[in-house]
Amino acid sequence: MTDASAPTGKTSSFGFRDVDAKEKVQLVRGVFDSVASSYDLMNDLMSGGVHRLWKDAAAAKLNPRPGETILDVAGGTGDMARRYAKMARAAQERRGGEDASVIVLDYNAEMIMAGVQKGGEPEMQWSVGDAMALPLPDASVDAYSISFGIRNVADIPQALREARRVLKPGGRFLCLEFSRPTASAIRKAYDAWSFHAIPRIGGWVAGDRDSYQYLVESIRRFPDQPTFKRMIEDAGFSRVTVTNLSGGVAAIHHGWAI
């Protein structure tokens, strides 16, 4: 996410603050520069370790296939991309076909470097790029995914339009994101855990309370499931569905470029 593509004259939420969209780009970059080395630990703290099950469910929903080009935006250290590559290869072994190509794209070079150091799969490629101005031609990918990244984008509707632009006709869109618990009891328990425990633990474990405080606040500011579903439809996607996970603590939004 570069300054050049940040919307001019618009505000965007940075946690509980509203800031200029260009400023959000720099602030979010700073957060992920800070947490890159502890990103996997961060996901464990934010989800109580359940993010691995959520990611498995999201990958199964995307259903990677041999020969496909899959774009994983805000791909971080490559957790989702590794799942996609392994699933596409397993399908290829069963029924043949060409190798899949899984592009991990993240605007933060520190995150990409952390992913490269973890190691990847043969199908994976790594790239630094902007969710709001994807460095790919129109109708060039079979599937687009973004996991726990859309809420950090300065202009979410623009990122959704970019997703629609790069997908081939019949292509699949998938977003896995923290969302709004559907039951008040779950919502209260998760809010208590998020706001009281996560920043404190982030300070103890990663030495960075402020970044974890932002991440918790960004979850609260993110649109609820029906609102985000409408945003995806407004970007031009069809047959958009919502799958709640852990009572709506997270949700999978899935749609088609038809």
Side-chain angles (χ1 to χ4, degrees), residues 179-224:
S179 198
R180 195 69 50 85
T182 54
S184 60
I186 298 175
R187 186 160 54 247
K188 289 177 182 177
Y190 185 68
D191 280 351
W193 163 252
S194 299
F195 284 98
H196 297 293
I198 290 176
R200 190 172 300 171
I201 295 171
W204 293 336
V205 176
D208 189 354
R209 181 189 178 102
D210 289 346
S211 290
Y212 285 82
Q213 182 69 38
Y214 156 71
L215 291 165
V216 169
E217 292 176 2
S218 70
I219 293 170
R220 176 72 73 84
R221 289 293 300 269
F222 189 69
D224 63 16

Side-chain angles (χ1 to χ4, degrees), residues 8 20 27 44 82 89 91 97 100 111 178 202 208 210 227 235 238:
T8 303
D20 183 87
L27 291 170
D44 283 328
R82 290 183 187 86
R89 194 182 322 133
M111 294 293 291
F178 288 105
D208 189 354
D210 289 346
T227 303
S238 302

Side-chain angles (χ1 to χ4, degrees), residues 30-152:
V31 168
F32 284 93
D33 280 345
S34 175
V35 304
S37 62
S38 58
Y39 182 68
D40 296 322
L41 173 62
M42 178 188 76
N43 283 334
D44 283 328
L45 294 177
M46 298 290 284
S47 70
V50 185
H51 71 97
R52 294 180 179 85
L53 300 178
W54 297 342
K55 289 174 179 176
D56 288 344
K61 183 76 172 178
L62 190 72
N63 188 24
R65 303 162 191 168
E68 288 191 323
T69 298
I70 300 167
L71 176 64
D72 185 31
V73 176
T77 57
D79 273 4
M80 292 303 296
R82 290 183 187 86
R83 286 171 169 82
Y84 299 151
K86 291 175 181 177
M87 292 174 71
R89 194 182 322 133
Q92 182 184 33
E93 291 170 356
R94 290 194 304 270
R95 62 178 189 245
E98 300 295 322
D99 292 345
S101 175
V102 184
I103 303 167
V104 185
L105 184 140
D106 200 289
Y107 62 80
N108 189 284
E110 294 291 332
M111 294 293 291
I112 291 292
M113 290 173 59
V116 170
Q117 289 171 0
K118 281 184 66 175
E121 301 295 325
E123 297 86 355
M124 291 170 60
Q125 306 170 37
W126 302 87
S127 178
V128 176
D130 185 345
M132 298 184 296
L134 295 170
L136 286 92
D138 295 356
S140 58
V141 303
D142 299 285
Y144 171 110
S145 81
I146 182 166
S147 300
F148 304 117
I150 193 76
R151 73 183 190 279
N152 299 311

